[in-house]
Amino acid sequence: MPSSPLLRPATPADVPVIRELIEGLAEYEQLRHACQATDALLQASLFGERPYAEVVLAEWEGQVAGFALFFHNFSTFLAKPGIYLEDLFVRPALRGHGIGTALLVHLAHVAVQRGCGRLEWSVLDWNVDAIRFYEKMGARAQDAWTVYRVTGEALTHLASGVS
């Protein structure tokens, strides 16, 4: 009988492996140059005084195989919270064992359990494997929406009130 992944909430002791998985995702997405995650930043953001996100780790045959990092958002139209999946990553050598599916099913369960109206995420348009996977799970692209982002100096400039 094939193994199934063990899912568990991350703990502060998992910070180094969470960072390692984030770096693996950054490599896969060809964005390693943009990855600034450190153990200290993750410790503060995930397990500090005000945790901003949650992490579920997937273990396969005794090793951490992947993760899902998520946080709550809010739908004004539904007047309900939602879950935003920031990252879902399975180590390339361990793909094909149902680990990504288990993580996504788990998050859907968490969303339903917490009374959320939706579970959503973004995917790079070139990542056809991920797109196929998500569509197989019942997800549909929201093509009418365009994501905007302000970071770095542009964020600081905007915060100063200068246009």
Side-chain angles (χ1 to χ4, degrees):
M1 182 170 167
S3 298
S4 59
L6 169 70
L7 303 182
R8 65 175 180 81
T11 68
D14 294 312
V15 165
V17 76
I18 294 168
R19 181 191 34 77
E20 182 184 313
L21 291 164
I22 290 169
E23 290 170 352
L25 174 63
E27 286 287 335
Y28 177 77
E29 292 184 342
Q30 303 167 24
L31 294 168
R32 184 65 180 97
H33 63 280
C35 186
Q36 299 178 21
T38 65
D39 289 1
L41 288 171
L42 290 168
Q43 182 72 36
S45 296
L46 299 175
F47 302 104
E49 186 176 321
R50 181 171 188 249
Y52 291 98
E54 299 174 58
V55 175
V56 175
L57 294 174
E59 295 181 353
W60 182 260
E61 297 180 348
Q63 67 174 311
V64 176
F67 80 119
L69 187 146
F70 66 98
F71 54 88
H72 283 278
N73 57 14
F74 191 81
S75 168
T76 54
F77 289 0
L78 297 176
K80 289 183 173 186
I83 287 182
Y84 188 83
L85 172 59
E86 179 67 23
D87 291 321
L88 175 74
F89 179 72
V90 176
R91 295 181 197 267
L94 296 171
R95 292 180 184 160
H97 296 290
I99 297 165
T101 299
L103 285 164
L104 204 53
V105 167
H106 176 78
L107 287 184
H109 178 76
V110 169
V112 169
Q113 185 180 38
R114 294 182 185 181
C116 296
R118 63 186 179 202
L119 168 61
E120 61 188 352
W121 59 90
S122 298
V123 61
L124 291 166
D125 60 7
W126 58 260
N127 194 345
V128 293
D129 291 338
I131 292 167
R132 253 191 309 266
F133 168 71
Y134 294 140
E135 288 179 348
K136 182 178 148 195
M137 301 295 292
R140 296 294 168 252
Q142 303 297 300
D143 294 331
W145 297 89
T146 300
V147 175
Y148 282 85
R149 180 176 296 161
V150 180
T151 63
E153 288 183 34
L155 178 60
T156 304
H157 184 74
L158 180 60
S160 71
V162 180
S163 54

